[in-house]
Amino acid sequence: MNDIADHGVRFGRIAPMVPVKDIGRALDFYTRVLGFTKTFENGNPVGFMILERDQGELHLTLQPTHKAAVFNVAHLLVDDVDALHAVCKQHGVRIIKSLQDKDYGLRAFVFEDPDGNRIDVGQVI
């Protein structure tokens, strides 16, 4: 299918919605390890948060019965993948796929957050 839907609408940012079993634990991980900042929360108790860092945005949603997928749920492009890989290792983050240069032009690795969500991290080489 080569038809392109040209409806005149321009798309802006798109943010992944990441399900978590414990929103406080997830907030701690994404702020302490990855350096995100919470910019919004909703609910009592809190069931939804928006986290931001630089141009990246991540939405956390409380799902107490969440079972992690066996595939990547988000892709994060950074300007220093080696540094982020080192930070993840320093904090004991589980690395699913080791840091390596890919034939499609990225240096990349995959880590798992405390809820088992897999995040693919890459840098253009």
Side-chain angles (χ1 to χ4, degrees):
M1 180 173 190
N2 291 332
D3 295 331
I4 298 175
D6 185 6
H7 39 59
V9 176
R10 289 185 41 89
F11 284 43
R13 68 166 174 72
I14 187 166
M17 178 74 73
V18 177
V20 298
K21 292 182 208 173
D22 181 329
I23 207 157
R25 180 182 66 187
L27 175 64
D28 180 64
F29 172 77
Y30 283 102
T31 56
R32 185 177 50 83
V33 176
L34 299 183
F36 279 82
T37 300
K38 177 176 65 171
T39 59
F40 178 81
E41 67 178 38
N42 190 25
N44 185 12
V46 175
F48 175 77
M49 285 183 185
I50 296 175
L51 307 179
E52 295 179 357
R53 175 161 182 183
D54 306 316
Q55 299 299 310
E57 185 172 317
L58 184 68
H59 295 187
L60 302 179
T61 180
L62 181 61
Q63 300 294 318
T65 61
H66 168 63
K67 290 187 175 140
V70 296
F71 52 84
N72 302 338
V73 298
H75 178 74
L76 172 62
L77 281 175
V78 297
D79 65 358
D80 192 341
V81 72
D82 291 275
L84 187 56
H85 183 264
V87 166
C88 287
K89 290 190 69 112
Q90 173 189 1
H91 287 276
V93 174
R94 183 169 180 231
I95 305 297
I96 302 298
K97 291 187 180 177
S98 63
L99 183 63
Q100 57 186 283
D101 294 343
K102 303 292 189 173
D103 60 0
Y104 46 83
L106 290 181
R107 181 162 175 76
F109 72 99
V110 176
F111 72 84
E112 191 175 81
D113 78 1
D115 290 285
N117 297 304
R118 295 179 179 193
I119 311 291
D120 179 29
V121 182
Q123 176 183 353
V124 176
I125 50 176

